[in-house]
Amino acid sequence: AQIAEALAKAGLHTEAETTARSIPDQFMQSMALADVTRELTSAGLFDRAENVALSIVDDDMKVQALSGLIQALATADQHEHATRIAFEAQNTTRITARSLPDLTRAFISVGDMRSARRLVALPLAASNLTVSLPLLALLEPGTLAAVSNLLQRRYSKPIDHT
């Protein structure tokens, strides 16, 4: 994986991708392909980065790689392309607690707050505050303070000093 990353950083993208794909362990291969995707994105080779990222087997790594690409596309004012990839990532990968923040950030970067809110609603519906509260802070910074105050009022007990 480190060799593929070094090749990609040196601008040897084809060699980096070939090296990454030759790694037999799927997780390590996914990590290496995510590194190659990151370097392709940095080089502005967005279409090639998309193809490499979509080939990543590990869903968390795939979403992480696509999220970086989506944010770069949004920065480059390629919002339609970024939005299409964000929806493709949402519809073709298993979203986990690990990948949810990356995908939420991707939707925020393309200005699709509605989709970002829908993603945040998933762990909220399951009462998974560990996942949902940091995501709420991304979407609505004031919401986190309000939730914190509410929880503090609800669960704090006066201290009996007698």
Side-chain angles (χ1 to χ4, degrees):
Q2 292 173 341
I3 294 171
E5 183 180 12
L7 288 168
K9 285 185 177 187
L12 302 169
H13 301 120
T14 301
E15 293 83 352
E17 184 178 349
T18 301
T19 301
R21 291 190 190 288
S22 72
I23 298 171
D25 179 79
Q26 284 191 343
F27 181 75
M28 294 302 292
Q29 182 185 83
S30 294
M31 284 180 51
L33 288 171
D35 290 338
V36 171
T37 299
R38 192 171 21 263
E39 293 304 321
L40 288 167
T41 299
S42 294
L45 301 170
F46 299 138
D47 290 336
R48 187 159 176 202
E50 178 183 358
N51 290 332
V52 172
L54 289 173
S55 73
I56 295 172
V57 176
D58 181 87
D59 283 337
D60 289 337
M61 288 288 170
K62 181 186 288 187
V63 170
Q64 181 184 34
L66 288 171
S67 177
L69 173 60
I70 291 162
Q71 290 175 39
L73 285 166
T75 301
D77 288 330
Q78 295 187 29
H79 293 281
E80 285 182 27
H81 191 183
T83 301
R84 182 184 54 75
I85 294 172
F87 279 108
E88 188 169 353
Q90 180 182 12
N91 294 327
T92 62
T93 59
R94 184 179 48 85
I95 306 301
T96 66
R98 186 170 167 218
S99 62
L100 191 60
D102 289 325
L103 192 53
T104 301
R105 281 188 202 91
F107 277 112
I108 291 170
S109 72
V110 297
D112 189 346
M113 299 305 283
R114 183 176 183 190
S115 294
R117 285 185 181 98
R118 274 195 217 130
L119 284 172
V120 173
L122 297 172
L124 276 176
S127 298
N128 188 340
L129 295 179
T130 305
V131 172
S132 58
L133 288 179
L135 293 175
L136 275 174
L138 279 174
L139 286 170
E140 309 286 344
T143 302
L144 188 58
V147 169
S148 175
N149 290 336
L150 176 70
L151 290 172
Q152 187 175 23
R153 283 193 305 263
R154 181 170 182 175
Y155 293 107
S156 66
K157 297 184 176 152
I159 299 173
D160 184 8
H161 294 289
T162 60

